[in-house]
Amino acid sequence: MLRPFYDWTLRVAGDRRADWWLALVAFVESSVFPIPPDVMIVPMVLADRRRAWRIAAIATVASVAGGLLGYAIGSLFFEAIGRPILDLYGYAEKFTDFAARYNDWGAWIVFGAGITPFPYKVITIASGVTRLDLLVFVVASVLARALRFFVVAGLLWHFGPSIRRLLERYLGPITVVFFVLLIGGFVALKYIV
């Protein structure tokens, strides 16, 4: 089902308007589109490694802007549709507890989803639903998306085509391990200090 989207994304990566297509893909991926912008970043950087940082910046800015759309979707449609359903089934109080726990860890949740293969769009919408502080959401999104896209672009810039196979095969597990180690370090610090 996703194959046509994937093929289209790869095809437009070589278009003369590829920067605009990348911005569009990064924007909509943050709220609705199933294909991550990395699919375009890889061939675009390999086609012209001098543009690696520009490509990463475009993906970062557009992705965070799309994340704000996802936040708005969660915020606006939850009140209109979600809350009445929760009220109908008597889950409003449980949702309030969930939202409080989510917001306690919100910066880490957004950061984690922003750098890992976990669908970032789920977190952008959930952040709007729970009314995560908008500044926390934006800062965590900028840091995570910039880290993800600049690391990918940097590896491609430095190693060229040889890193492409490694990234395509192991990007997901590498970022998950990195995030688990990062969170584990902070948790350990909390209990040590």
Side-chain angles (χ1 to χ4, degrees):
M1 184 174 100
L2 295 179
R3 189 65 193 194
F5 288 124
Y6 180 81
D7 292 341
W8 174 84
T9 306
L10 281 176
R11 198 170 45 254
V12 299
D15 189 273
R16 63 181 173 82
R17 296 176 304 265
D19 286 357
W20 290 103
W21 287 116
L22 173 61
L24 178 65
V25 167
F27 181 84
V28 296
E29 182 270 337
S30 295
S31 53
V32 293
F33 194 60
I35 307 295
D38 308 70
V39 172
M40 288 187 70
I41 292 171
V42 172
M44 287 175 69
V45 172
L46 290 177
D48 186 356
R49 289 168 41 189
R50 295 169 300 169
R51 298 184 64 243
W53 313 123
R54 175 183 168 84
I55 290 165
I58 290 168
T60 300
V61 170
S63 181
V64 172
L68 288 169
L69 173 64
Y71 186 100
I73 289 169
S75 179
L76 298 173
F77 290 110
F78 177 72
E79 289 303 321
I81 299 168
R83 181 148 330 262
I85 293 171
L86 288 175
D87 290 339
L88 177 69
Y89 290 105
Y91 290 128
E93 187 175 315
K94 287 181 182 178
F95 176 76
T96 302
D97 293 341
F98 163 76
R101 283 193 309 278
Y102 181 92
N103 288 337
D104 286 344
W105 290 91
W108 290 110
I109 294 169
V110 173
F111 185 80
I115 62 169
T116 64
F118 186 84
Y120 179 59
K121 67 192 86 1
V122 171
I123 297 305
T124 66
I125 294 169
S127 295
V129 167
T130 62
R131 304 272 199 258
L132 178 66
D133 181 88
L134 191 56
L135 181 61
V136 168
F137 174 78
V138 170
V139 169
S141 292
V142 168
L143 292 174
R145 297 314 257 182
L147 178 64
R148 176 175 173 167
F149 299 139
F150 277 90
V151 165
V152 168
L155 289 170
L156 291 165
W157 174 82
H158 185 71
F159 293 105
S162 62
I163 196 74
R164 178 182 184 175
R165 287 177 296 282
L166 180 72
L167 282 176
E168 287 175 348
R169 187 165 186 188
Y170 298 110
L171 180 62
I174 289 169
T175 55
V176 169
V177 167
F178 169 76
F179 185 67
V180 167
L181 290 173
L182 181 68
I183 293 298
F186 280 108
V187 170
L189 267 174
K190 180 178 180 181
Y191 290 104
I192 292 172
V193 175

